[in-house]
Amino acid sequence: TIILMRQISYVLAVLTALLFASSSKTDNGKVEFIPFQETADGQWGMISLDGKVLFSEEFKNKPTVVRDSRFFVQTAEGGWEMFDATEKPQKVGADYAHVSGFRNGVALVAEKGKPVSIIDTDGKTKKVLDKIEGKEVDGVRTFEKGYAVFMTVDSLFGVIDQSGDCVIKP
């Protein structure tokens, strides 16, 4: 029954988040470029939705899509690096163990051994999400329409906005 209660709590948190999100007027992060390969075993580049190549044959591992002029690429060690979406992509920010895509200028990331943080497109930490409403945070889902579901170490769920402020308590 505890598992069922957790699932019900999670579903309620998600439904509440969707309710908030449906009334939100925020952009959910327009995709600016998508990764592509010129050959089946080639390196990865970026192309716009209307066919303009930003760069090609740049990365061995497949990048994420570009939102807010930023994208991530997984390293050989399994971590992630952030890059600017330019003809000659430059690394921005730290090395990350976990990442989400950008939405409205912010992303959720976690450096190795550190809690989840909200960063801006320059890689600067906007807010560390180690505790929310006095509860230690275990994980945070990707922002969708301005909100993200989080889970505490004691398996409670809540919702934060893109500033990291709690809108539904765990």
Side-chain angles (χ1 to χ4, degrees):
T1 60
I2 292 174
I3 293 173
L4 180 60
M5 295 291 284
R6 286 181 186 162
Q7 290 174 337
I8 290 170
S9 295
Y10 178 72
V11 169
L12 289 174
V14 169
L15 289 174
T16 305
L18 290 173
L19 177 65
F20 275 106
S22 66
S23 64
S24 172
K25 293 183 179 172
T26 61
D27 178 8
N28 201 31
K30 178 183 173 220
V31 173
E32 299 162 20
F33 294 91
I34 58 173
F36 81 104
Q37 290 175 298
E38 289 185 36
T39 61
D41 59 347
Q43 295 200 67
W44 291 89
M46 287 287 181
I47 189 168
S48 69
L49 300 179
D50 64 0
K52 177 186 173 235
V53 174
L54 181 62
F55 60 83
S56 63
E57 301 289 326
E58 187 73 29
F59 294 98
K60 181 179 178 184
N61 292 330
K62 183 180 179 181
T64 63
V65 298
V66 174
R67 286 188 174 101
D68 296 324
S69 299
R70 297 290 185 264
F71 64 95
F72 294 94
V73 179
Q74 194 164 32
T75 65
E77 297 78 32
W80 294 87
E81 295 177 326
M82 179 172 58
F83 292 87
D84 61 4
T86 58
E87 291 178 13
K88 299 282 186 201
Q90 299 296 311
K91 184 179 175 205
V92 180
D95 292 331
Y96 305 106
H98 303 282
V99 298
S100 75
F102 275 91
R103 299 289 198 283
N104 298 311
V106 295
L108 294 162
V109 299
E111 294 179 48
K112 188 173 183 174
K114 294 186 178 180
V116 175
S117 295
I118 299 173
I119 62 167
D120 64 18
T121 55
D122 293 325
K124 291 186 173 53
T125 301
K126 306 283 281 176
K127 190 166 193 174
V128 176
L129 301 174
D130 54 346
K131 287 190 175 187
I132 299 174
E133 293 292 319
K135 299 278 190 179
E136 189 176 343
V137 175
D138 186 49
V140 185
R141 303 289 245 159
T142 301
F143 284 114
E144 292 295 333
K145 300 199 181 214
Y147 299 94
V149 174
F150 68 91
M151 186 175 85
T152 65
V153 295
D154 52 349
S155 300
L156 299 175
F157 293 89
V159 178
I160 58 170
D161 63 19
Q162 286 192 283
S163 297
D165 297 328
C166 188
V167 295
I168 299 177
K169 294 180 182 183

